[in-house]
Amino acid sequence: MDVASIIGIAVGMGCILVSIVITPGARVGMFVDYPSMFIVGGGTFAAMLMSFPFRDLATLGRVMKAAFFQKLPPESKLIADFRRYADIARRDGILALEKVTGEIRDPFLLSGMQAAIDGMDPEMIQNLMRSEMDYMAARHERGVQILKKIGAYGPAFGMVGTLIGLVIMLANLKDPEAIGPSMAVAIITTFYGAMVAYMFALPLADKLTFRNSEEMFVRELMARGLASIQSGDSPRVVEQKLKVLLPPRLRERLAAGK
């Protein structure tokens, strides 16, 4: 679980709630307005249905899960594993890697390893792995675009709600009892739209972009490691080829055995 995202949401919501509670004359109940929720929530959902195919919107749950629960193997463990795989392949032949496939949990690496064991052409394996990486990146980009559009449409429908509230208020200036609820709709919809965008959708879009870069880097390590093993490189050479891809900070940690 991504603790930073959980903490970020909790701190953001907490600061807003505390600021409401400590403000004289303010109550949390003042910020609960169902017409405003319908305008922002329903309007944003309708706009999303017009912007994206329903099959893409149906994946939003999995997209959100990736932002909070993505689990990738540490680079140090991955490099150590490939050194071990290279040692087995160099000593006993690449067919001997069959005995390690049971411990591989990553479908991307498992499919590439199995193709190598089955004797598929190395260039074809690399092409297949690159194609899979491109597909992953495109899938992640769709999720990012959905969240960015939610971040754009939420404040827009907040403004629509503000205009609706102002129209109702101006039409009922002679009725003092109608002015208060109308002003609530006018102002709180803007608040809801801003919350949807800046507390939820846009930060998660940025987190997914970062997660995508992390996953693509790990996939690149896997693809290059498998290519090095198929080339018959020694375990030390495989390790060095993968270490070159790491930033200096990670290389230092790996050299220190952390």
Side-chain angles (χ1 to χ4, degrees), residues 12-256:
M13 294 298 297
C15 289
I16 292 172
L17 290 174
V18 169
S19 66
I20 292 173
V21 171
I22 65 176
T23 301
R27 302 188 313 275
V28 175
M30 293 178 176
F31 293 84
V32 178
D33 187 81
Y34 294 111
S36 298
M37 293 180 185
F38 282 123
I39 293 170
V40 175
T44 302
F45 181 68
M48 296 303 295
L49 287 175
M50 289 184 282
S51 300
F52 295 94
F54 189 78
R55 65 177 181 273
D56 288 344
L57 294 178
T59 65
L60 186 58
R62 292 198 297 273
V63 169
M64 299 284 296
K65 184 179 179 181
F68 290 98
F69 297 100
Q70 187 182 50
K71 187 176 181 180
L72 296 172
E75 292 87 350
S76 58
K77 182 180 184 305
L78 192 60
I79 292 176
D81 285 342
F82 268 101
R83 177 165 182 151
R84 181 164 56 88
Y85 300 155
D87 182 60
I88 294 173
R90 192 175 179 85
R91 186 179 63 247
D92 303 323
I94 200 166
L95 291 178
L97 291 175
E98 182 73 43
K99 63 185 179 183
V100 304
T101 56
E103 69 185 49
I104 298 175
R105 296 291 176 262
D106 189 286
F108 177 81
L109 177 57
L110 181 60
S111 63
M113 184 77 75
Q114 194 63 60
I117 294 170
D118 292 341
M120 186 180 292
D121 182 71
E123 184 177 353
M124 183 177 294
I125 293 176
Q126 288 299 304
N127 289 337
L128 289 174
M129 296 182 80
R130 301 293 176 188
S131 297
E132 180 65 20
M133 290 170 65
D134 291 341
Y135 173 75
M136 288 180 186
R139 187 175 68 246
H140 296 164
E141 180 60 24
R142 283 198 299 272
V144 170
Q145 289 302 317
I146 289 174
L147 288 171
K148 285 184 175 179
K149 285 299 183 181
I150 292 175
Y153 291 138
F157 279 98
M159 185 58 65
V160 169
T162 296
L163 296 175
I164 292 173
L166 290 175
V167 169
I168 297 172
M169 183 187 70
L170 293 174
N172 292 278
L173 287 177
K174 293 182 180 180
D175 183 4
E177 293 184 358
I179 293 178
S182 301
M183 280 296 295
V185 173
I187 296 175
I188 293 179
T189 45
T190 300
F191 172 73
Y192 285 165
M195 288 288 291
V196 166
Y198 302 113
M199 185 63 70
F200 168 70
L202 296 181
L204 283 180
D206 290 338
K207 177 56 69 72
L208 282 175
T209 300
F210 176 74
R211 292 296 190 201
N212 177 65
S213 64
E214 280 189 325
E215 184 167 0
M216 290 301 105
F217 177 69
V218 170
R219 302 301 181 217
E220 182 67 23
L221 284 176
M222 292 176 177
R224 293 204 185 189
L226 189 57
S228 184
I229 290 175
Q230 285 190 287
S231 299
D233 292 334
S234 68
R236 182 178 295 275
V237 172
V238 172
E239 181 181 24
Q240 291 301 320
K241 282 186 175 181
L242 297 184
K243 280 184 177 180
V244 168
L245 301 177
L246 300 179
R249 177 179 55 85
L250 289 179
R251 286 187 223 171
E252 293 172 3
R253 290 179 57 186
L254 192 60

